[in-house]
Amino acid sequence: MVKCLSDKCALVNSGVEDYYLPKNLQVIIPVGGRATRLLPLTAETSKACLRLLNKPLVEYSLLSLASQGVRNIIFGVKGYTNYCNLYDYFESGYGFSAYHSIKPRVHIRYQPNVDDLGSADSARINMEYYNLKKPVFAVQGDNVFDINIKNLIDFHKEKEAALTIVLRKVDNVEGLGIADIDKNGRIRRFVEKPLPEDAPSNLANTGLYVISPNVRKIFKEKGVQQIIKDGKRLDFGYDFIPYVIEAGYPVYGYRLENSWFDVGTPRNYLEAMKHLLKTRISTLSDFEERLQIDECSFVCVQGKSSDSEKVRRQIVQKIQQKKIQIKGSVLIGRHCLIEDGAVLSNCCIDNFTYIGKNAAISNSAIMDRAVIGDYAEIKDSILGRHVKICSTQSNPTKISDITIIADDVTADEGCILSAAKVYPHQKIKGEIINQTIMSNQTTP
């Protein structure tokens, strides 16, 4: 291995070789805040548990990591909703491991009830609380990624890095952290969310980090403590990464060529959904067998029990008889009822959903237990759980232009929603164009 040129490198590489095996890797997934960019979907739901293709968003990270031998997960949860949603679904990892036949099982732990001051602070708290002496892989809770963990760890070890940041080329740098690297991959400068004209490159921070165990010592340095004291914050992008670079520690950028999505906005959510429907992730094989409709179209209908298999056969028969039209890539969950004349295009229909006669759904996500009335038109939108869209042939409801309807909302017949946001537990009617309807409001 290349010798360190700085005394500061010495604290990075004092670990044991086996610490770098995936089975010994410790993963911290910071999950904090309200995920305001995804409101109103996250008004009552943790961002990490928001459903994407009929499973919690963060489950894609866990499955990808577990398929490569990772077994130790810590959810860096902040706040009541984030903790309860994650713990109630994943608990300590027994059920998750059993359901996906993961052996040996995944161990899941949680951040103590200490409010962190940002993503890096969450890593700091958990590295201390659990006395982590092995490398840590930090993963943002709203990321979906396809990465070879062994290659990443080998890169980190070879570079003798204090911190390795996974970078990916992007067409649009807006809203992202951007890195400037030298020919060896060492990061010279890092700018969080620069203006496009000020961006030093097009290499974006994916929110995936390998952290050497002795970074615990860096967290205790006076400079870091001063950042916390002055700003009441310790975020990776805004605070910790710039500090570590400026302090002279070796920080490297690992260039990711595979898929990565920041599912932090409704538009990004829909883009990720369509991409995953079409191509999937190389480390995942969770979707049931695809039914090819034509050269460009296929459908996956989920369900393995005898009851759900019966429903699956009924839906497949309707598709084959052309009573239901499938265009592009479509995922249909368990125990769905889809009436004749429905047209489904590049969309996801979650479990226990009813789709009425001649309803048309395109480029949209319909979460579980929704009811979509006859002749309804839904385009480029996301509908939450237990949503009811009333619609008839004479008075159809139309929803479009990245409209977001949160859980347990009922829309009357004839509603027109465009670029609208509707918070949970409401009844709406009429036209809602470029408006946000809060819980204490009523529509005209």
Side-chain angles (χ1 to χ4, degrees):
M1 295 177 68
V2 177
K3 295 292 185 181
C4 293
L5 300 178
S6 166
D7 290 340
K8 291 188 174 180
C9 295
L11 70 80
V12 173
N13 298 290
S14 58
V16 178
E17 188 76 12
D18 283 348
Y19 282 4
Y20 285 90
L21 295 175
K23 68 179 182 179
N24 291 325
L25 188 67
Q26 304 286 328
V27 175
I28 296 176
I29 305 178
V31 182
R34 295 188 63 211
T36 55
R37 295 186 301 164
L38 280 167
L39 287 171
L41 293 173
T42 52
E44 299 178 347
T45 301
S46 171
K47 170 177 60 177
C49 289
L50 184 66
R51 298 182 73 78
L52 173 68
L53 294 182
N54 210 4
K55 68 169 77 274
L57 174 58
V58 76
E59 192 164 349
Y60 289 96
S61 297
L62 268 60
L63 286 170
S64 179
L65 294 168
S67 71
Q68 299 179 72
V70 174
R71 292 295 182 269
N72 300 290
I73 307 292
I74 299 170
F75 282 123
V77 290
K78 176 182 178 180
Y80 172 80
T81 298
N82 286 321
Y83 170 72
C84 287
N85 281 190
L86 284 162
Y87 184 81
D88 289 349
Y89 187 86
F90 291 104
E91 295 186 330
S92 63
Y94 273 111
F96 166 78
S97 301
Y99 182 82
H100 294 288
S101 302
I102 299 169
K103 296 180 180 180
R105 77 173 185 91
V106 172
H107 295 262
I108 298 177
R109 295 174 287 178
Y110 297 81
Q111 181 170 311
N113 190 4
V114 177
D115 281 350
D116 60 72
L117 298 174
S119 54
D121 199 40
S122 177
R124 179 190 67 82
I125 289 168
N126 287 289
M127 290 178 77
E128 285 298 319
Y129 185 82
Y130 290 109
N131 193 25
L132 300 186
K133 298 179 179 179
K134 302 175 183 179
V136 168
F137 184 38
V139 177
Q140 302 307 303
D142 56 0
N143 279 354
V144 177
F145 54 87
D146 187 3
I147 193 168
N148 185 303
I149 294 297
K150 184 179 183 303
N151 289 349
L152 172 62
I153 294 298
D154 286 347
F155 174 90
H156 176 81
K157 185 169 60 171
E158 177 188 345
K159 297 297 185 181
E160 299 186 326
L163 182 66
T164 295
I165 304 171
V166 179
L167 305 173
R168 196 175 190 281
K169 281 187 177 180
V170 294
D171 295 326
N172 181 9
V173 301
E174 189 174 356
L176 299 170
I178 304 299
D180 176 28
I181 64 175
D182 66 19
K183 62 181 181 180
N184 295 316
R186 185 160 179 167
I187 298 178
R188 294 177 291 210
R189 188 162 66 101
F190 183 87
V191 184
E192 182 69 9
K193 299 181 180 177
L195 295 172
E197 59 269 24
D198 296 330
S201 75
N202 64 346
L203 292 174
N205 176 14
T206 63
L208 307 175
Y209 313 106
V210 182
I211 306 169
S212 290
N214 282 322
V215 166
R216 286 172 63 177
K217 295 181 181 179
I218 301 178
F219 280 128
K220 296 175 182 178
E221 290 184 2
K222 290 182 179 179
V224 175
Q225 294 303 308
Q226 195 65 43
I227 290 172
I228 295 173
K229 181 179 178 181
D230 293 344
K232 307 299 181 186
R233 183 187 70 191
L234 189 63
D235 178 75
F236 271 113
Y238 282 109
D239 309 303
F240 191 64
I241 295 172
Y243 174 84
V244 177
I245 294 170
E246 291 168 12
Y249 292 106
V251 179
Y252 280 83
Y254 176 89
R255 296 174 68 151
L256 178 65
E257 304 296 336
N258 296 338
S259 300
W260 166 75
F261 295 95
D262 168 13
V263 192
T265 68
R267 190 177 297 276
N268 288 355
Y269 174 103
L270 290 172
E271 286 301 316
M273 179 199 76
K274 288 186 284 186
H275 177 88
L276 291 170
L277 277 172
K278 187 174 182 180
T279 64
R280 295 184 288 185
I281 289 180
S282 63
T283 53
L284 298 180
S285 56
D286 192 55
F287 297 153
E288 272 74 3
E289 183 178 346
R290 299 179 176 199
L291 172 65
Q292 195 75 35
I293 307 301
D294 54 40
E295 187 176 342
C296 301
S297 302
F298 67 83
V299 62
C300 297
V301 185
Q302 295 181 313
K304 296 179 180 178
S305 70
S306 57
D307 285 344
S308 58
E309 178 60 29
K310 180 180 177 181
V311 175
R312 181 179 184 274
R313 288 196 300 268
Q314 292 172 347
I315 292 174
V316 168
Q317 185 178 44
K318 282 190 173 187
I319 292 170
Q320 292 172 334
Q321 294 173 347
K322 301 188 184 303
K323 293 180 179 179
I324 300 172
Q325 289 189 56
I326 301 293
K327 299 179 181 180
S329 309
V330 174
L331 178 68
I332 299 172
R334 294 177 291 279
H335 294 284
C336 292
L337 178 58
I338 304 176
E339 300 287 6
D340 293 356
V343 180
L344 308 179
S345 174
N346 294 315
C347 62
C348 175
I349 311 297
D350 276 9
N351 305 330
F352 309 108
T353 292
Y354 172 83
I355 308 295
K357 295 178 181 177
N358 298 296
I361 302 170
S362 63
N363 302 314
S364 297
I366 311 298
M367 296 185 193
D368 47 304
R369 210 163 180 255
V371 175
I372 309 300
D374 298 347
Y375 294 89
E377 296 180 14
I378 301 169
K379 299 178 182 178
D380 306 305
S381 296
I382 305 173
L383 275 59
R385 312 174 80 173
H386 199 77
V387 164
K388 186 174 183 180
I389 305 300
C390 301
S391 179
T392 61
Q393 182 176 9
S394 60
N395 201 15
T397 291
K398 299 181 180 182
I399 300 170
S400 63
D401 297 323
I402 317 292
T403 286
I404 310 301
I405 299 179
D407 297 350
D408 191 35
V409 169
T410 298
D412 276 358
E413 295 176 14
C415 277
I416 306 294
L417 288 87
S418 177
K421 294 182 178 181
V422 182
Y423 275 69
H425 315 304
Q426 302 186 76
K427 287 195 68 173
I428 56 174
K429 60 183 179 179
E431 291 192 6
I432 305 174
I433 313 296
N434 290 308
Q435 294 182 61
T436 297
I437 306 300
M438 305 294 288
S439 300
N440 59 354
Q441 291 180 277
T442 57
T443 59

